[in-house]
Amino acid sequence: MPEAPTLIAEAIRFDAVGKTFPTRPVPLRAVESVSFAVRRGEFLAILGPSGCGKSTLLMMAAGLETPTEGRLERGGVELVGPHRQTGVMFQDATLLPWLSVLDNVLFPATIRRIPRAQVLEAAMRLIETVGLKGFEGARPHELSGGMRQRAAICRALVLDPDLILMDEPFSALDAITRDEMGDVLLDLWQHTQKSAIFVTHSIREAVLLADRVLVMSRRPATVAEELVVPFPRPRTPALADSAEFAAVVAHLRGVIARNMA
Amino acid sequence: MKAVLTSTLAVLAMLLGWEALVRGKAVSADLLAPPTAVLEALLRHPEILLDQGISTARETALGFLLACLIGAAMGAALSSAAPLRRVAMPWVLALQIVPKMALAPLFVVWLGVGAPCRLAFAVFIAFFPVLIGTTAGLAGTDSGALRLCRVLGAGWWQTVLRVRLPYAVPQLLAGMKTAATMALLGVVIGEFVTAQQGLGYVVMFAASLGETALVLAAITLLCGIGVALYGVVLLAEWAFARWYSAPMPAGEFG
Ligand SMILES: Nc1ncnc2c1ncn2[C@@H]1O[C@H](COP(=O)(O)OP(=O)(O)OP(=O)(O)O)[C@@H](O)[C@H]1O
Ligand SMILES: [Mg+2]
């Protein structure tokens, strides 16, 4: 396989990607001619109306669904299935209930048959960063929803992927915990060079975390608008309280409202 | 500890009450032998009861094992192949509606009056809960966990061992608990209809002579066998719970 990661500036590229589900009686067109790319180290947020096809888009990026049209490239190579260097986070944490937090975080290593000792340090560091230190041995049922999602973040990052895909990872949480998780993610991101696609319904999350925001149209999903977030990094959660931040959020809200109309 | 003490005392009180009722001639000793008579019957014919008990225990254990293997294999096959499920499930369910005891004499016609008949009948009535437990367990696997496996590029075996099986085992064990009691029931009915050996045969034979003490002695032993087998499944359940909640070193299953 021709791999030249250093030469390719794009972590992932959607090239006129479309997806039609063979539903009956009429096939369902979920995604239509979507083209965009995520640069290395770029954090891309995707906003869009419910049911428009954002999850479908992300499932294709994860290699779990194949596009019916167009082409997906991952690091310059056509993407045909789950990619080893991609971390994925879904709406719910899906921790395995019989494993401790640490073992859940190490689960990707278990599946890939990577010796535990090799990733243990990285796992412990992640666990500490997200504030789960002291809960390594706890079972998922002993954790709060936010703590479970923290463990899921660690699991998605433990093998040090260069791209991480997140499908509304915090939408199952209450508003306060949700903002808190956004801050955890922001903090994590200051120290990494990872690329990310982050699907969310929260404009605050999108603007706080992302370098660029895509607003999708109604189904079938296409890229309706694109906005470069004008705030330099490193950012702090305090940014969300500033007037500039509020202005960008208001602008995006307007864009979305226009899209829905 | 306190609960154990309370229930032990309750059982003792009940036995004493029973003894008192019979001694006080409230109930005829011919209809219901008192506990002391049952104990005496147990001690009077130890070798007969032991021999027959071993026969019943052996056949029950073997029937239970076979029922578990067959039930789990069939359950796994049915859950992995939808076409097979569509063809086989109606038959499996229809078989459940048939009052299975009524088929026992047929097993004698097919397999004679020996151990194969009793075993086959025990398996026949005990495999179904295991089958259901297996299919329900495998179907109950969290779809998110399966998606996680796909994202991580887990192979078929890894997915089964790491995710599907752990999710299925609690239901499988629940099925096995029912199967344990069903296997014993199957063997006893088999002993009734084959009338050759086993505690079931002792029960029938002693009852026909009006020896209620011996009947109850045999039943006591049957209870012992049932409890022991059930206990084995409980032990398996406990061991599983312990093993799976213990940290698993990476790459353990290869
Ligand atoms: N496997 C599938 N088979 C058939 N239709 C599907 C399938 N997956 C998704 N769809 C349909 O595709 C459309 C887009 O779904 P998708 O889950 O991508 O939306 P979404 O933008 O993520 O919505 P939400 O914001 O509510 O999560 C929906 O109408 C959905 O019913
Ligand atoms: Mg979605």
Side-chain angles (χ1 to χ4, degrees), chain A residues 19-23 28-31 48-59 65 91 167-168 199-201 216-217 219 221:
Chain A
K19 175 81 187 180
T20 306
F21 289 108
T23 47
L28 190 132
R29 189 134 185 75
V31 174
S50 183
C52 77
K54 304 179 297 295
S55 294
T56 309
L57 213 60
L58 216 69
M59 293 294 265
E65 293 274 7
Q91 186 171 349
D167 190 358
E168 305 189 38
V199 171
T200 178
H201 279 125
M216 309 304 287
S217 68
R219 203 181 64 227

Side-chain angles (χ1 to χ4, degrees), chain B residues 9-27:
Chain B
L9 283 177
V11 170
L12 277 179
M14 205 205 73
L15 287 176
L16 277 176
W18 175 0
E19 186 80 36
L21 274 180
V22 182
R23 293 255 163 129
K25 304 272 190 270
V27 178

Side-chain angles (χ1 to χ4, degrees), chain A residues 59 64 82 86 88 90 92 94-99 103 107-108 110-116 139 155, chain B residues 142 144-145 147-154 158 162-163 166-167 244-251 254:
Chain A
M59 293 294 265
L64 294 177
T86 304
V88 184
F90 297 105
D92 32 42
T94 55
L95 302 177
L96 299 177
W98 59 88
L99 293 183
D103 287 310
F107 188 67
T110 309
I111 291 297
R112 300 265 171 85
R113 302 193 177 98
I114 297 167
R116 196 182 165 90
R139 303 260 172 285
R155 185 181 59 197
Chain B
D142 185 52
R147 188 168 54 181
L148 176 70
C149 286
R150 280 169 62 213
V151 166
L152 294 173
Q158 278 186 315
R162 296 267 174 210
V163 173
Y167 269 111
Y244 255 106
S245 55
M248 289 194 289

Side-chain angles (χ1 to χ4, degrees), chain B residues 95 98-113 117 120-121 124 189 193-194:
Chain B
L95 215 57
V98 175
K100 287 185 286 299
M101 315 298 164
L103 291 184
L106 261 186
F107 276 71
V108 178
V109 175
W110 293 333
L111 295 168
V113 292
C117 168
F121 190 68
F124 170 63
I189 290 169
V193 292
T194 55

Side-chain angles (χ1 to χ4, degrees), chain A residues 137-195:
Chain A
R139 303 260 172 285
H141 67 89
E142 298 165 320
L143 303 182
S144 70
M147 290 163 90
R148 273 180 230 156
Q149 217 40 282
R150 285 167 204 252
I153 295 180
C154 296
R155 185 181 59 197
L157 292 174
V158 73
L159 295 184
D160 199 26
D162 59 35
L163 171 68
I164 167 158
L165 307 171
M166 292 170 275
D167 190 358
E168 305 189 38
F170 310 139
S171 61
L173 305 176
D174 62 89
I176 293 170
T177 315
R178 181 173 187 150
D179 286 355
E180 211 177 280
M181 293 307 296
D183 301 346
V184 167
L185 208 54
L186 182 67
D187 182 43
L188 260 175
W189 232 260
Q190 314 289 8
H191 317 292
T192 62
Q193 305 300 314
K194 297 183 196 307
S195 320

